[in-house]
Every structure is written in C-alpha cells, then in structure tokens.
Amino acid sequence: MAWTQQEVRELKEGRYMLIDEEPCRILSIQTSKPGKHGEAKARIDAVGIFDGSKRSVVFPVKHKVQVPMIGKRQAQVLSLTDTEVQLMDLESYETFSLAIDAETKPSLSPGAEVQYIDAMGRRMISRT
C-alpha cells in the first residue's frame, strides 16, 4: 500500500506515521511554544509496527510527514508448518505465506480466522 502526507499538528496519539521508512504507531506527542525567532516544534515518540523498536523525532508543527495507509484485514489459515503459515484473504481470496514465531504457532490451526496488518507491502498477523 502507499502513503499520504499530513502536517505534524494534525497527527494524534494512536495513529500511524513513517519514521525512517518504517511504519510506526504514535505513542505520545509533546508540542513546545514558538520561540522568539522560531516556530513551535513537536516531539513524537513512536514504536515500529513490524520491528517493535522505539523511535523519537522532533519536527516543526508545520512540517509535512508521511502517513502509511494501513489495512486491517481478515484471513483464514489454510496450512501450518514449523516456520510459516499459509493464509487466504477473506475479501480478495488471495493466498500468501507469512513467517511465524514459536509464541504465535500454538494459537493457530487450519480453518481458523486471523486478523492481519498490511502496510507498505509488508504483512503481519495481529490477532488470532
């Protein structure tokens, strides 16, 4: 999927933005007042959706940032191996494989429905 642009002042906690080409969920936004010769700035703390690492950036409030288009979709588990799961999207009937970790595997079974996130051409199971 693609991304759109928004000004920093339009962002809210719990929404998403791109930091270093990584889709991130915004944890907190703190804004400062404009100084004598400068403009107001915003400090944004976020966590990566796919890698889970925390990131922090500072931008002027009028700065435009990239906001990813994130799709939350439903899929059905078709098959399960030790390292990956094969899913079928319930709207488009597209089949694809995703890598899974040892913690997620016990909650999956063939025929079960899961929710997955599709952002910037990457996918991840979010809810089983």
Side-chain angles (χ1 to χ4, degrees):
M1 295 189 122
W3 50 267
T4 60
Q5 279 191 339
Q6 274 189 332
E7 286 189 1
V8 172
R9 71 171 130 214
E10 298 170 350
L11 297 175
K12 295 182 181 174
E13 293 179 9
R15 301 247 176 112
Y16 302 94
M17 71 178 287
L18 286 179
I19 300 174
D20 300 329
E21 299 297 320
E22 180 72 27
C24 298
R25 188 164 118 348
I26 298 171
L27 298 175
S28 67
I29 300 175
Q30 300 151 352
T31 57
S32 64
K33 293 184 179 180
K36 188 173 183 180
H37 298 289
E39 59 181 304
K41 299 216 178 358
R43 176 187 170 89
I44 301 171
D45 295 320
V47 63
I49 296 173
F50 297 109
D51 60 2
S53 64
K54 289 191 176 184
R55 294 173 170 83
S56 181
V57 292
V58 177
F59 289 123
V61 293
K62 292 184 181 178
H63 184 76
K64 290 192 182 277
V65 294
Q66 297 173 343
V67 177
M69 305 287 284
I70 295 187
K72 294 181 182 175
R73 308 177 131 225
Q74 296 285 338
Q76 182 178 12
V77 177
L78 296 178
S79 66
L80 196 61
T81 64
D82 290 337
T83 57
E84 67 179 29
V85 61
Q86 186 177 22
L87 300 172
M88 177 182 68
D89 187 288
L90 292 178
E91 289 181 21
S92 65
Y93 303 109
E94 170 192 9
T95 59
F96 55 91
S97 295
L98 293 178
I100 55 170
D101 52 1
E103 300 158 2
T104 310
K105 188 178 180 207
S107 61
L108 297 175
S109 63
E113 289 187 12
V114 296
Q115 184 179 27
Y116 72 96
I117 294 174
D118 184 11
M120 302 294 292
R122 296 165 63 189
R123 296 177 174 144
M124 178 184 80
I125 294 175
S126 62
R127 195 176 299 166
T128 57

